[in-house]
Amino acid sequence: MPTYDPEGTVPQSEALFARAKAVTPGGVNSPVRAFNAVGGTPRFIREAKGAWITDVDGNSYVDLICSWGPMLLGHAHPEVLAAVNAAVARGTSYGTPTQPEVELAEEIVKRAPVEEVRFVSSGTEATMSAIRLARGFTGRDVVIKFAGNYHGHVDALLAAAGSGLATFAVPGTPGVPASSTELTLVLPYNDREAVAAAFAEHGDRIACLITEAAPGNMGVVPPEPGFNAFLAQVCQSHGALFISDEVMTGFRASAQGYWGLDGKNEGWTPDLVTFGKVMGGGFPAAAFGGRADVMRRLSPEGPVYQAGTLSGNPIATTAGLTTLRLATDDVYAHIATAAETVKSAISVAFTEAGLAHQIQSAGTMFSVFLTDAPVRNFVEASTTDSAAYAALFHAMLDAGVYLPPSAYECWFLSSAHDDRAIQQILDALPAAARAAAAVQGA
Ligand SMILES: Cc1ncc(COP(=O)(O)O)c(C=O)c1O
């Protein structure tokens, strides 16, 4: 426990947040953690075990953030900890090749539609590197992405749509020069006509199209049936690469990621795939992979440069490898059942409270939009009632359930969400739904 408030007069999370704000912008190291979207003070977490996180004031919460996806097995899984502790005892980084990297790469290649992978340390690096590789491979420079899809804070992808459908993007944030987004096209999600128009106009310049395999970063907005297959096909017919971003969905939506649910049925295969989150087992590890002929264009085998001091770090790859080996069908079945139970309870509680809502899923991932029509793209996602969500969030937090502090995020479960944890969620929902309904439309 921190000892900065011996009198205990100020909640320790508040005291830590004040200190944090003095030395870190907004007091956090990633914006969504700050509670700006819901108001209030983020809880500073002291420890976590299974489905539970405990803050520095000693309050415990059922965790529905799960570190934004990685903790598929819950926190502090004993076998992951044992493997990591043993790895740490052998040294933490060598800057030379190691066995866990090879084994994790083999495990990924076994499950996902990739022939080779390269490890990096974050999802941002994975998407940035995949795009560079696609450009190097095709000799073209234009990139297509979809509004509301998040691929990390890569300059070229922090872009907002230009004035017309096939016009180039503008920077999505100060600090990104116009020159970084002038080769990016931002299209509406689930819109085949927009994709066809962009390829018709710029087809011979398009290096790649990148899409979340099933978007989870505007809340969960699944691709309409056949949409990913259409994207793969249109890319192929124009000589562009199809990059499926599975940083969130990979080894989470199903044992094989979203591709295992959708690609197998609809017959699409991406040229490149990006991974992160679950495959790092709670450590900073990510990867990109794909067709061997494309991956072999990477340095040192090919001319496209890419590197990283801590890439394939032995602790991170040990955590990821242990996690993936433990991620059996039973794990996914447990999470799927837990998700169904929670979704049914949400539906009942929200309906009884008169709270307009949509529950949307992609495999075992789901999220809730507080709006009265299904959400297929970013414009529709933006109709969710953020004020009502803030009321829902705080009522759930007060009842010991830590939801994502933003209306535009996926709710994550783990195999450690047992009956007790699920019951705590179910018990909290009715009153929270009433609190949100009182705000909705007000
Ligand atoms: C689909 C997707 N791609 C890329 C990223 C970026 O990953 P990171 O935060 O590890 O840079 C994220 C992060 O949430 C993501 O969800």
Side-chain angles (χ1 to χ4, degrees):
M1 282 286 274
T3 53
Y4 45 85
D5 182 25
E7 308 301 321
T9 48
V10 179
Q12 307 259 339
S13 278
E14 275 182 32
L16 267 181
F17 196 39
R19 284 172 60 189
K21 282 194 282 195
V23 289
T24 302
V28 292
N29 288 299
S30 198
V32 72
R33 297 178 196 171
F35 278 25
N36 283 0
V38 291
T41 305
R43 305 302 188 258
F44 280 64
I45 301 304
R46 181 179 71 197
E47 59 189 311
K49 176 90 187 115
W52 301 84
I53 50 178
T54 304
D55 70 16
V56 287
D57 292 294
N59 305 307
S60 289
Y61 308 88
V62 181
D63 181 18
L64 288 177
I65 300 179
C66 287
S67 189
W68 301 99
M71 310 320 298
L72 184 80
L73 307 175
H75 296 282
H77 189 287
E79 286 177 62
V80 177
L81 288 192
V84 164
N85 285 337
V88 167
R90 294 190 292 269
T92 54
S93 180
Y94 321 120
T96 67
T98 63
Q99 186 167 337
E101 290 165 80
V102 183
E103 295 187 1
L104 181 56
E106 287 170 346
E107 187 69 33
I108 292 173
V109 165
K110 201 162 73 188
R111 289 173 179 241
V114 295
E115 293 176 308
E116 296 191 8
V117 288
R118 166 71 53 90
F119 291 120
V120 291
S121 299
S122 72
T124 297
E125 263 186 277
T127 58
M128 177 188 78
S129 305
I131 284 170
R132 183 182 309 137
L133 177 58
R135 285 173 161 160
F137 180 82
T138 58
R140 300 173 177 183
D141 49 17
V142 172
V143 173
I144 294 182
K145 70 153 292 202
F146 292 106
N149 279 219
Y150 177 67
H151 305 288
H153 60 101
V154 180
D155 277 4
L157 302 178
L158 289 181
S163 52
L165 269 189
T167 35
F168 287 97
V170 295
T173 170
V176 170
S179 59
S180 292
T181 55
E182 68 189 12
L183 297 170
T184 306
L185 287 167
V186 181
L187 303 180
Y189 190 64
N190 268 329
D191 187 335
R192 295 183 193 214
E193 278 176 26
V195 174
F199 273 92
E201 188 157 345
H202 303 290
D204 58 351
R205 291 185 61 196
I206 297 171
C208 59
L209 179 150
I210 184 165
T211 182
E212 288 188 58
N217 282 294
M218 50 179 153
V220 174
V221 179
E224 287 178 348
F227 186 62
N228 278 324
F230 165 77
L231 297 178
Q233 190 273 323
V234 80
C235 284
Q236 193 187 25
S237 62
H238 286 87
L241 299 189
F242 178 44
I243 305 177
S244 182
D245 182 351
E246 293 243 22
V247 168
M248 186 184 288
T249 50
F251 318 114
R252 153 103 13 218
S254 83
Q256 296 172 305
Y258 198 70
W259 175 82
L261 302 170
D262 188 35
K264 282 194 152 176
N265 294 328
E266 297 183 346
W268 55 275
T269 309
D271 298 300
L272 292 173
V273 187
T274 51
F275 304 99
K277 300 194 189 267
V278 172
M279 59 140 288
F283 281 79
F288 61 105
R291 278 165 45 188
D293 62 322
V294 180
M295 292 301 290
R296 288 184 183 155
R297 302 294 289 167
L298 270 185
S299 184
E301 203 162 356
V304 179
Y305 191 71
Q306 192 280 330
T309 300
L310 290 175
S311 295
N313 170 271
I315 313 304
T317 48
T318 296
L321 179 62
T322 311
T323 298
L324 286 192
R325 284 185 175 159
L326 290 166
T328 58
D329 289 345
D330 288 350
V331 162
Y332 294 97
H334 176 95
I335 297 173
T337 304
E340 288 312 316
T341 306
V342 174
K343 286 192 289 183
S344 309
I346 292 171
S347 175
V348 170
F350 286 20
T351 304
E352 278 178 2
L355 183 62
H357 67 282
Q358 306 292 317
I359 305 170
Q360 301 200 172
S361 309
T364 67
M365 292 165 32
F366 71 95
S367 77
V368 174
F369 294 94
L370 300 182
T371 187
D372 48 20
V375 169
R376 290 161 304 176
N377 55 40
F378 185 58
V379 171
E380 291 172 1
S382 308
T383 64
T384 196
D385 187 332
S386 303
Y389 185 83
L392 178 81
F393 171 85
H394 279 291
M396 294 295 282
L397 194 67
D398 290 347
V401 179
Y402 211 121
L403 295 180
S406 158
Y408 298 96
E409 302 289 350
C410 181
W411 298 15
F412 294 103
L413 292 165
S414 78
S415 58
H417 282 74
D418 55 11
D419 290 348
R420 185 168 75 93
I422 298 295
Q423 193 58 49
Q424 183 145 326
I425 301 170
L426 304 195
D427 290 346
L429 280 169
R434 287 193 293 275
V439 171
Q440 193 169 53

